[in-house]
Amino acid sequence: MTYAPKSDFLTQLIERGYVADCTDYEGLDRALLAGPVTAYIGYDATAASLHVGHLLNIMMLRIFQKTGNRPITLMGGGTTKVGDPSFRSDERPLLDDAAIQRNIDGMQKVFDRYLDYGPGAATMLNNAEWLDDLNYLTFLREIGRHFSVNRMLSFESVKSRLDREQSLSFLEFNYMILQAYDFLELNRRYGCQLQMGGSDQWGNIVNGIDLTRRVDDKVIWGLTSPLLTTSDGRKMGKSAGGAIWLNGDMLSPYEFWQFWRNTTDADVGRFLKLYTELPLDECDRLAALGGSEINLAKVRLANEVTALLHGPEAAARAEATARAVFEQGGAGGDLEVALIDAAALSGGLSVVQALVRSGLVPSGKEVKRLIAEGGLRLNNEPVTDAQRMLDADAIGEGLKVSIGKKKHRILRIG
């Protein structure tokens, strides 16, 4: 991107790596300078908690508010009844009203940590307010006529599903029309001029912009963030143990802290810029630390992210617990170290081979049994794949191996 923004919001987002694409950088930048602007991100209530995959866009809303603008968190009480088919291989299970409301209540706990709600501040809305009572024939005549089925079929989120010959129900096909209608309604009711979301929502966002132009002759904008994967190719927010939930009753602050502490070296600098509020020069300084000192950056990352979500005291407790478990083995003495030959590791070893070679587990059969029973953890993260590979980067200055609940060792290269 060659455009150099002048507004504080766009400048911060671009410098910190939040932006994948925008429908009109210059037009949005001018609106932000004239500000304040109202923007929204939509969240369907498909689970009782948001997860780490949502955190990037939550941070965007936080920056949006801190730069003097008005964020809307739109709960999909209506659209959840349909289900977003984007890049999915099957239809989402349908939830009843009570389950949807429970999920919205759970998600609100997270937003309360990152945004200030109230008069003139952030607003939480539910699209069931205007979707639940739509008159079907009126909606088809006034809204549906503006959508080309040919164009809808061309969007990658739909096309990829059809190309794989996987069923797409008529119910799901309506989702993109309803999301576009959300943007139109938010513009009419609240003067909302911007929708943000992950880059997988680009087609849905463009639909809303086009609909609003056609129906009300209004100019509005869309801004997307990249869909992040970690340097080892995993989708951000996923681990061997499942989703990294943001609600403390679904994932403890300690486990959340550990997720960030276990960040790979290559991801530290990027994650510091995206998930903390540290100045950019401090992020760069920490990312440049070499050798074992990079672990200081990982602890800083874990503390900063955990403090934002769960509070500074929870972050401090998590770090203290981690030090007790990792450095003293949780029982007052240093953890024993098991060595693995560097030459054997040069080509990469499966976790089964590595633990047998190190002498930590007597046989590959025993390692596989531990994995199958959920009894093996690496840096406190459950191992579920016996084919998982370990190399020098994965072991680093020391990889904590937990066998069952009481046996802990440090695996090192030697």
Side-chain angles (χ1 to χ4, degrees):
M1 192 202 75
T2 57
Y3 181 70
K6 299 179 179 64
S7 63
D8 193 12
F9 174 66
L10 271 184
T11 298
Q12 285 195 45
L13 254 61
I14 292 169
E15 287 179 346
R16 299 185 83 94
Y18 286 99
V19 178
D21 210 343
C22 179
T23 54
D24 178 6
Y25 284 106
E26 293 186 43
L28 176 58
D29 199 33
R30 286 195 297 270
L32 288 163
L33 287 170
V37 169
T38 300
Y40 90 98
I41 298 179
Y43 300 86
D44 281 339
T46 54
S49 171
L50 299 165
H51 56 71
V52 163
H54 295 108
L55 194 50
L56 188 77
N57 286 332
I58 296 173
M59 290 296 293
M60 290 171 69
L61 287 172
R62 183 177 172 88
I63 295 170
F64 189 70
Q65 183 170 46
K66 283 183 165 248
T67 51
N69 298 289
R70 296 186 293 258
I72 294 173
T73 48
L74 182 64
M75 300 291 98
T79 44
T80 301
K81 297 171 185 175
V82 175
D84 185 358
S86 299
F87 300 100
R88 288 183 60 85
S89 60
D90 55 3
E91 190 171 350
R92 293 184 185 274
L94 297 180
L95 303 177
D96 61 26
D97 288 349
I100 290 172
Q101 188 57 55
R102 284 196 300 272
N103 289 346
I104 290 174
D105 292 341
M107 294 162 66
Q108 184 168 1
K109 297 175 185 176
V110 172
F111 289 116
D112 287 344
R113 296 293 312 185
Y114 288 89
L115 300 173
D116 292 326
Y117 288 93
T123 305
M124 178 172 286
L125 302 173
N126 187 335
N127 62 15
E129 178 183 340
W130 51 84
L131 295 181
D132 274 3
D133 297 323
L134 282 177
N135 180 288
Y136 188 57
L137 288 178
T138 302
F139 184 74
L140 287 179
R141 287 172 62 87
E142 295 184 358
I143 302 300
R145 67 188 180 90
H146 295 289
F147 289 83
S148 161
V149 171
N150 304 60
R151 185 164 181 263
M152 291 165 72
L153 289 173
S154 72
F155 285 115
E156 187 60 32
S157 58
V158 172
K159 187 173 179 293
S160 61
R161 178 123 156 224
L162 298 179
D163 287 346
R164 296 192 299 267
E165 297 184 357
Q166 292 165 331
S167 174
L168 178 71
S169 72
F170 178 70
L171 177 69
E172 295 175 285
F173 195 57
N174 281 271
Y175 185 92
M176 65 178 71
I177 301 178
L178 294 177
Q179 183 170 327
Y181 184 66
D182 281 345
F183 204 173
L184 173 65
E185 280 294 317
L186 287 169
N187 181 258
R188 287 173 168 176
R189 295 171 181 233
Y190 300 95
C192 183
Q193 297 170 277
L194 172 65
Q195 182 183 356
M196 299 187 288
S199 58
D200 61 335
Q201 294 298 312
W202 178 257
N204 291 332
I205 292 172
V206 170
N207 274 337
I209 293 170
D210 188 52
L211 177 65
T212 304
R213 178 185 59 80
R214 288 171 179 268
V215 175
D216 286 351
D217 196 27
K218 294 286 188 65
V219 175
I220 53 179
W221 299 280
L223 179 71
T224 59
S225 60
L227 294 181
L228 287 187
T229 56
T230 58
S231 59
D232 56 6
R234 287 184 297 170
K235 187 176 179 180
M236 185 61 187
K238 299 293 185 181
S239 74
I244 305 300
W245 301 109
L246 301 185
N247 282 25
D249 55 355
M250 293 179 66
L251 187 81
S252 71
Y254 172 70
E255 291 173 296
F256 182 77
W257 188 95
Q258 278 290 347
F259 170 79
W260 296 100
R261 171 60 181 82
N262 294 336
T263 296
T264 59
D265 294 3
D267 291 324
V268 172
R270 185 169 52 135
F271 289 178
L272 282 165
K273 291 178 181 178
L274 293 173
Y275 297 108
T276 81
E277 296 180 320
L278 292 175
L280 287 173
D281 55 356
E282 177 66 0
C283 295
D284 290 335
R285 183 191 72 80
L286 289 165
L289 295 175
S292 62
E293 284 193 331
I294 194 65
N295 291 321
L296 300 176
K298 294 179 183 181
V299 170
R300 184 75 179 276
L301 170 66
N303 283 338
E304 293 289 332
V305 181
T306 304
L308 276 175
L309 177 61
H310 295 294
E313 292 183 0
R317 286 195 300 270
E319 181 183 2
T321 300
R323 290 188 184 281
V325 172
F326 191 85
E327 296 176 1
Q328 285 82 39
D334 291 339
L335 287 176
E336 295 180 19
V337 174
L339 299 177
I340 187 166
D341 184 67
L345 195 64
S346 60
L349 290 176
S350 72
V351 66
V352 174
Q353 295 169 319
L355 296 190
V356 172
R357 283 178 177 266
S358 68
L360 283 174
V361 184
S363 69
K365 182 178 180 180
E366 176 66 9
V367 180
K368 291 176 182 177
R369 182 190 67 77
L370 285 166
I371 292 173
E373 295 176 356
L376 180 65
R377 290 174 175 261
L378 299 181
N379 280 351
N380 300 308
E381 185 176 306
V383 178
T384 58
D385 182 8
Q387 299 302 314
R388 178 173 171 179
M389 301 300 291
L390 297 180
D391 56 18
D393 287 339
I395 294 175
E397 295 297 310
L399 180 67
K400 182 189 172 191
V401 180
S402 300
I403 301 166
K405 294 183 179 180
K406 297 183 178 179
K407 185 178 180 182
H408 307 281
R409 299 289 186 273
I410 298 296
L411 184 63
R412 288 200 175 121
I413 301 171

